Structure formats: structure tokens, C-alpha cells
Amino acid sequence: MGSSAIADVLGATRAVLFDFDGPICDVFAGQPAPDVARHLAATLANCDRSLGDRAYGTDDPMEVLRLAPQGGEAALRRVEDELIEAEVSAVRSAGLPVSGAVAALEAAHASGRKVAIVSNNSAASVRTFLLLHELQHLVDAIVGRTPYQPEAMKPAPNSLMRASNELAVPLQDCTLVGDSVTDVEAAKASGGRSIGFANKPGKGISLRDAGADTIVTSMTTLAEALQCS
């Protein structure tokens, strides 16, 4: 999908919503996600051994969180609280923002559009990272996952609806920039648009098949398009 496609999408965009892990920050670069997932699986196993066995089968901390409600309220709260702590710790050692991310945030802000971070990660971890890299002034709203409600995470549209309300911009005028199929699905479910960030080989195909309105392979490309829109 070429420059005309992204220009068309941005031309209809009054608010740019950025996913966090991928487009802005490689959250678990310094503290690998599989290590965090194993820690959460151990916590879940202490609450429910059978669920713990299932949790050990994934390397994704979010998938452990999705399992946790099956262990009851106490299990969910323990896993959620420990994941928030792990995410905040992880972003402090994650390194610099993703290449081109700062330029994209700056361009979106300078264009006069509203800007939000809309993430399945905790709001606390997003806020920590933005403050650490002095980017908070470029973002109008931070919408992280709703604590103790993993069912509300993307691909559910809940977080996009919250961002739309906070920014006072209708969903059809919002565009989500995300690197996962669940981002594209959430945008479609909300009635908004999506720009797929194909940051790894092969991702472009899956993002396009999921229905992304356009694809970029670098955040710098997005920044340049925003500067011209």
C-alpha cells in the first residue's frame, strides 16, 4: 500500500491512537516477555494448579493474564498486580523509543490532531516510559488496559472507545497505529481506521488480511506522512 493510501487515511483522521508495545516501545527488550510470563504462571499455579500448567505453555504475559479470571478474583488480582509491576520495571530497562516513534508523535502533535496511547499494557507503564523519555507533552491521553478486566483488552474495542471519549473525537475519525492483528481487529470493531505497523518480516500480510487500511514498515514513514498531511 503506497503513499496515496496512507494520505487518504490520514486525511480522514482527527485523532491518532498509537499502540504502545511495538510502535512506541519494545516493552520487554530488557526483561524478556517469556521470563515475565513464567513468573506470572508460577503465581497463577499457586492459586490454581491446573491453570498454572496451562499458563506455563505460553511465552506471552498477556495470555497468562487472560487465563487468570478462571482462577477466581484473588488469582486475577495477584496476576494483574504483578504484571503491572513487571511492566513498569520493564519499560525502565527497555531502552530508547522505537526508531521513528518520537518523530511520529511529534508530527501527529504538530499536525493539530489529538494524540493518544491506547495499549493492552498498563497505563502506569506507558506513563513511566513517556516521563522517562520526556514525551508526555506530545500525548493528550493515555488509555491502558482496565485493571482486572482482561476481557476488555484489544481486540475488544473498549480502549478505543475510552480514547474517543477522552479526546472528544468520534471513533470514525480516529486511526489506530498498531503492529498486531488484534489492533486491527479492535479498530474495525470500533468503526475506526487502522495503520498496520509491519515491524517484522511477514507481518504486512497478516495485518493486511486482518483489514488494516494501510501498512507502514517504519515509524519514520508514518512521521513523514503526518508531516505532509
Side-chain angles (χ1 to χ4, degrees):
M1 299 182 188
S3 58
S4 60
I6 194 169
D8 289 345
V9 171
L10 293 176
T13 299
R14 290 174 51 202
V16 185
L17 317 179
F18 291 86
D19 179 38
F20 181 58
D21 189 8
I24 304 298
C25 171
D26 185 357
V27 171
F28 295 107
Q31 298 180 30
D35 293 347
V36 175
R38 282 193 293 272
H39 175 78
L40 297 177
T43 295
L44 189 54
N46 285 334
C47 300
D48 186 312
R49 181 170 295 178
S50 63
L51 278 180
D53 291 342
R54 291 169 60 188
Y56 278 118
T58 180
D59 287 340
D60 184 352
M62 297 300 174
E63 291 307 310
V64 181
L65 179 61
R66 290 183 195 275
L67 282 172
Q70 298 177 44
E73 183 71 17
L76 172 59
R77 287 187 171 274
R78 285 189 62 187
V79 172
E80 174 74 71
D81 292 348
E82 290 187 16
L83 179 53
I84 293 172
E85 183 179 349
E87 288 170 327
V88 170
S89 175
V91 299
R92 290 192 175 116
S93 61
L96 295 174
V98 168
S99 178
V102 174
L105 289 170
E106 290 175 338
H109 178 74
S111 73
R113 296 177 174 89
K114 294 292 187 179
V115 180
I117 305 293
V118 180
S119 179
N120 281 352
N121 295 110
S122 63
S125 64
V126 176
R127 191 172 296 108
T128 296
F129 187 80
L130 295 180
L131 289 169
L132 182 64
H133 297 281
E134 299 182 348
L135 301 173
Q136 68 276 10
H137 64 288
L138 301 174
V139 176
D140 298 297
I142 295 172
V143 179
R145 68 173 177 272
T146 303
Y148 317 118
Q149 295 182 31
E151 71 280 0
M153 293 193 299
K154 293 175 286 185
N158 302 49
S159 57
L160 281 76
M161 295 166 66
R162 288 167 55 203
S164 170
N165 287 335
E166 288 194 33
L167 298 175
V169 176
L171 281 163
Q172 63 266 28
D173 297 330
C174 296
T175 296
L176 176 65
V177 181
D179 69 324
S180 70
V181 167
T182 54
D183 291 318
V184 176
E185 291 173 342
K188 288 185 69 176
S190 76
R193 296 173 179 79
S194 62
I195 297 174
F197 174 37
N199 54 352
K200 294 180 182 177
K203 262 197 178 181
I205 295 173
S206 61
L207 293 169
R208 184 184 65 240
D209 289 349
D213 292 284
T214 190
I215 306 289
V216 296
T217 56
S218 78
M219 293 300 286
T220 300
T221 299
L222 175 61
E224 292 171 348
L226 282 162
Q227 290 167 358
C228 297
S229 65

